[in-house]
Amino acid sequence: MKTISSEVAKHMGNLSNDNGVISALAIDQRGSLKKMLAAAANKPADETTIVDFKKAISSELTPYASAILTDPEYGLPATKVRDKNCGLLLSYEKTGYDTTEPGRMPDLIENQSGLRIKDEGADAIKFLLYYDPDESKEINDKKHAFVERVGAEAKANGLPLFLELVTYDANISDAKSEEYAKIKPDKVMKTMREFSKPEYGVTVLKVEVPFNIEFVDGFNGNNDVVYSQDEAKKLLKKQSDVTDLPYIFLSAGVTSKEFITEIKMAEDANANFNGVLCGRATWKPSIKPFAAESEAAGRKWLSTQGKQNIENLNVALKGAKSWKDKLEIK
């Protein structure tokens, strides 16, 4: 069992509900969100619409979330209008990854540090890593060292580290393909196992569901079936057994309905997961009315359908377990 300080435990309490379950909302998208807003408005991207959009999401939806994740670049104004009982995570990584060299190498926001993130009132540092466990040792060794440094910095500032892990295969360009769906479970398991090691200083793993629901029998539409529903549930249980750390699911761009289906499958599998950090599944459809019509129209969608999405997710989280069962306070 991982040991944490009383300071880290206090921050974890700020990020979770009364049952020790993390029901967090993610709005740390940057480049991709600017593009979506610009496309909806049919005009070039700007630097103000994204800030206003994040503020609208924060003010409308944080009363129903245990925490919110945003970025220091565009999201700080949104942190000021969040619900007083809603905890805060801030992203430390630059958006995207370095495309000038192989390996999808990460980088940090240049004017940020663990101390600055703490001074902004954050309860945790979130760091995103793209990871292929089967890539070259040279590339992955650099990534291991990178996470070790971020973990040490989080510890030095008395903050939890939430490590977001997005897997890929260096030889498969489309992570949504059937080809990748067949190997995704193995990628996710290997990656979680690696970053559960104590040298990384991770407090909570933010991870993918270990399959692509669009290839699960009954949810596959026009796609071939790669996994039966029973196989998908067994993968969720296997994932649960891979780590002793608290872990939460990311929504990975699926719809709200699909994400809730995945969460219910995890409950059916008796997976020992500890919550979610859900982004686009909750709020993505509000982009069009917000950008193409008006802020009022976007807020109306958020206050009705967006609220319903997050409340439905909260109901689905009844099968999640408390992080307190996995972390010992020293």
Side-chain angles (χ1 to χ4, degrees):
M1 180 178 285
K2 179 182 173 67
T3 300
I4 59 171
S5 68
S6 58
E7 183 180 12
V8 169
K10 182 180 178 181
H11 287 299
M12 286 292 294
N14 293 342
L15 296 166
S16 53
N17 64 24
D18 292 340
N19 297 320
V21 170
I22 297 161
S23 174
L25 180 67
I27 55 166
D28 64 324
Q29 295 81 358
R30 282 155 273 179
S32 61
L33 181 53
K34 278 205 285 188
K35 290 176 184 175
M36 288 188 283
L37 287 163
N42 195 27
K43 66 179 184 180
D46 62 64
E47 297 293 295
T48 57
T49 305
I50 186 172
V51 173
D52 292 340
F53 184 64
K54 287 173 185 268
K55 286 173 63 178
I57 293 174
S58 181
S59 60
E60 297 292 342
L61 297 183
T62 53
Y64 317 104
S66 70
I68 189 167
L69 163 67
T70 190
D71 58 281
E73 293 155 299
Y74 298 105
L76 291 181
T79 71
K80 312 306 180 190
V81 296
R82 76 185 194 276
D83 186 85
K84 61 180 174 54
N85 295 315
C86 182
L88 174 64
L89 305 99
L90 284 176
S91 296
Y92 196 5
E93 81 283 345
K94 285 183 178 179
T95 188
Y97 48 82
D98 189 344
T99 59
T100 63
E101 60 178 314
R104 304 190 186 188
M105 299 303 296
D107 202 358
L108 301 178
I109 302 171
E110 291 172 349
N111 67 346
Q112 290 299 310
S113 67
L115 177 60
R116 292 183 181 196
I117 285 172
K118 184 175 186 177
D119 285 347
E120 289 292 351
D123 291 297
I125 292 171
K126 192 277 292 188
F127 180 69
L128 165 64
L129 183 73
Y130 292 93
Y131 192 74
D132 176 1
D134 302 306
E135 207 157 17
S136 74
K137 184 178 185 301
E138 180 185 11
I139 286 173
N140 283 344
D141 194 46
K142 291 178 183 178
K143 292 184 179 181
H144 296 165
F146 208 114
V147 178
E148 287 166 13
R149 289 194 291 271
V150 176
E153 195 173 348
K155 182 179 180 181
N157 286 285
L159 291 177
L161 172 60
F162 281 55
L163 180 63
E164 179 177 1
L165 297 167
V166 176
T167 60
Y168 68 96
D169 186 281
N171 299 310
I172 300 175
S173 59
D174 184 6
K176 301 293 185 183
S177 66
E178 179 178 345
E179 182 183 14
Y180 189 73
K182 291 176 180 177
I183 61 173
K184 182 176 181 179
D186 184 60
K187 299 282 188 184
V188 172
M189 306 297 175
K190 285 180 178 177
T191 300
M192 286 181 66
R193 188 177 291 114
E194 175 62 40
F195 290 100
S196 296
K197 294 175 181 177
E199 57 261 39
Y200 298 110
V202 175
T203 313
V204 177
L205 293 169
K206 181 187 176 189
V207 298
E208 301 162 290
V209 170
F211 52 79
N212 183 337
I213 195 168
E214 293 183 355
F215 294 93
V216 175
D217 189 21
F219 306 100
N220 57 306
N222 295 323
N223 295 327
D224 292 335
V225 172
V226 173
Y227 338 82
S228 67
Q229 290 190 31
D230 186 56
E231 286 169 337
K233 290 175 184 177
K234 286 179 178 176
L235 287 170
L236 286 160
K237 178 58 177 160
K238 182 179 179 181
Q239 176 184 41
S240 176
D241 295 338
V242 158
T243 184
D244 291 327
L245 290 177
Y247 72 96
I248 59 178
F249 290 118
L250 58 95
S251 54
V254 300
T255 66
S256 178
K257 185 177 180 181
E258 287 172 330
F259 194 46
I260 288 171
T261 296
E262 293 171 343
I263 298 304
K264 288 182 176 177
M265 290 173 76
E267 179 187 1
D268 291 344
N270 198 29
N272 193 13
F273 71 104
N274 306 101
V276 296
L277 223 171
C278 180
R280 288 166 289 174
T282 298
W283 49 256
K284 185 179 179 182
S286 69
I287 290 174
K288 187 171 182 180
F290 186 95
E293 299 175 41
S294 66
E295 180 173 332
R299 282 180 176 268
K300 182 178 180 181
W301 190 96
L302 289 166
S303 66
T304 53
Q305 189 57 52
K307 176 186 174 184
Q308 189 64 55
N309 284 348
I310 202 166
E311 287 185 330
N312 290 344
L313 184 57
N314 286 336
V315 170
L317 282 174
K318 67 181 185 295
K321 313 293 196 301
S322 172
W323 59 263
K324 297 173 185 177
D325 297 333
K326 295 180 178 179
L327 299 176
E328 183 178 12
I329 304 169
K330 66 179 180 182

